[in-house]
Structures are given as C-alpha cells and as structure tokens.
C-alpha cells in the first residue's frame, strides 16, 4: 500500500516538475512586445501598397503582352485561355504581374465582356473557368498579392492586341490589399 502511494507521489512530482518547466520555457513575459508602434507598421503597409499600385499602373500603361491558347481537358472540353502579363523585356527589377482568364469555349470572341473573380477554382492546370491574377514586386514587398475580388472587362481581341479594363483587388497573406482600377492594352 505504501509502495503504491509512494509511486503516486513520485509520478505527481515528475508531472508537476515538467509542467513548471514548460511554463517557464514557453512563457514570454521577459520579451518586450514594443518593438515598433502599430502606427508605424500601418504606415509601412500603406506605403508598400501605394508603391505596388503605382508599379502595377506603370506596367499596365507601358509593358503588357498576352498569350492566347486553347487546352482540352481529359473529358474533351476545350478551354480558351488568355494570359496578360508584364513584358519581361520592358520592366525593371523583379516585377511580376499576371492575369489569367479561362473559359470553356473554342470561340475567342466568347471571351469578350466581363469576367468576375469567383475564387472557387481547384486548379489552374485543367478545367479552370474564371479569372486569376497575382502581383509580385519583390523590391517593394516580399509577399505576393493574389486576386481577391473584382473583374476584368475585355473590350477587344484580335490576333495582335487585346484591350480592356481591370477593377480588381489583390490581397497578400497578411491581409494587406492593393486595388487596381485601370484600362490596359496588351500586344502579342
């Protein structure tokens, strides 16, 4: 009986020791959380957001190219795809911008009109129906921004050029948003 009571006491002491040790190591009461004020962090994000918006506006005004392709899924459905992106020969630094529009059709003229960002796609590889976009300006912000909401409106498509307008919001992993409302023209 005393042996069982002694064993219970030893096990309780061990558990208490590990609990106190865990609280000691995982508590951060000695760390100062006042590294910088939240106001300074908010200003940093707004500066980055406006600088990224300005950078993308310059890309939209000066250096867009497009690619047109059709792909067939395993089920035999043909998708027409338009990829509008920054011309790598014209931009400075690592500035990436791309809009991808895909629709289940063989007729290129079916891509004329408004295309909403739905966000309910499983893969960009096969059977993607909608709009997807991203911005990555690494000299201003290390985190990429992905299309969040909005629309792309395609007004003209021909073998040499495509034009339209963007009214889109992009969001990064931290929840910081960049809104772009701009006309564009891209060349093959």
């Amino acid at each position: 009986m005393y042996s069982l009571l002694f064993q219970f006491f030893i096990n309780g002491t061990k558990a208490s020791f590990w609990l106190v040790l865990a609280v000691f190591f995982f508590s951060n009461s000695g760390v100062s959380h006042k590294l910088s004020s939240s106001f300074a962090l908010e200003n940093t994000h707004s500066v980055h957001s406006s600088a990224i918006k300005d950078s993308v506006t310059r890309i939209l005004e000066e250096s867009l190219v497009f690619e047109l392709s059709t792909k067939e899924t395993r089920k035999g459905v043909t998708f027409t795809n338009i990829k509008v992106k920054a011309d790598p020969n014209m931009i400075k630094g690592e500035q990436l911008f791309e809009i991808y529009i895909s629709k289940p059709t063989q007729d290129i003229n079916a891509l004329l009109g408004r295309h909403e960002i739905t966000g309910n796609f499983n893969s960009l590889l096969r059977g993607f129906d909608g709009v997807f976009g991203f911005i990555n300006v690494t000299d201003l912000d290390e985190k990429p921004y992905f299309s969040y909401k909005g629309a792309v409106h395609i007004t003209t498509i021909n073998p040499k050029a495509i034009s339209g307008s963007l009214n889109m919001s992009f969001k990064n992993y931290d929840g910081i948003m960049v809104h772009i409302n701009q006309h564009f023209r891209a060349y093959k």
Side-chain angles (χ1 to χ4, degrees), residues 4-119:
L4 186 61
L5 190 59
F6 182 71
Q7 189 66 26
F8 179 73
F9 176 73
I10 292 297
N11 286 341
T13 304
K14 285 180 188 178
S16 298
F17 172 75
W18 287 114
L19 181 66
V20 168
L21 192 62
V23 168
F24 175 74
F25 280 119
F26 292 114
S27 71
N28 57 359
S29 60
V31 176
S32 172
H33 294 288
K34 299 200 178 219
L35 297 175
S36 63
S37 68
S38 62
F39 178 74
L41 290 176
E42 288 172 11
N43 275 347
T44 303
H45 291 309
S46 66
V47 166
H48 283 311
S49 297
S50 63
I52 288 171
K53 181 179 177 182
D54 292 343
S55 180
V56 171
T57 300
R58 277 192 306 279
I59 291 170
L60 290 171
E61 291 173 349
E62 299 171 4
S63 63
L64 285 181
V65 295
F66 80 98
E67 297 172 6
L68 185 63
S69 65
T70 57
K71 293 184 181 178
E72 191 171 307
T73 66
R74 293 180 189 161
K75 296 179 182 178
V77 179
T78 302
F79 280 79
T80 301
N81 307 310
I82 296 175
K83 188 186 296 185
V84 178
K85 61 183 183 176
D87 184 356
N89 300 323
M90 298 287 289
I91 58 175
K92 298 174 184 171
E94 287 194 39
Q95 299 180 21
L96 301 174
F97 170 81
E98 192 168 304
I99 300 293
Y100 189 76
I101 303 166
S102 181
K103 191 169 186 171
T105 184
Q106 290 182 339
D107 181 18
I108 190 172
N109 291 321
L111 293 172
L112 290 171
R114 185 177 170 88
H115 303 278
E116 295 278 335
I117 296 171
T118 59

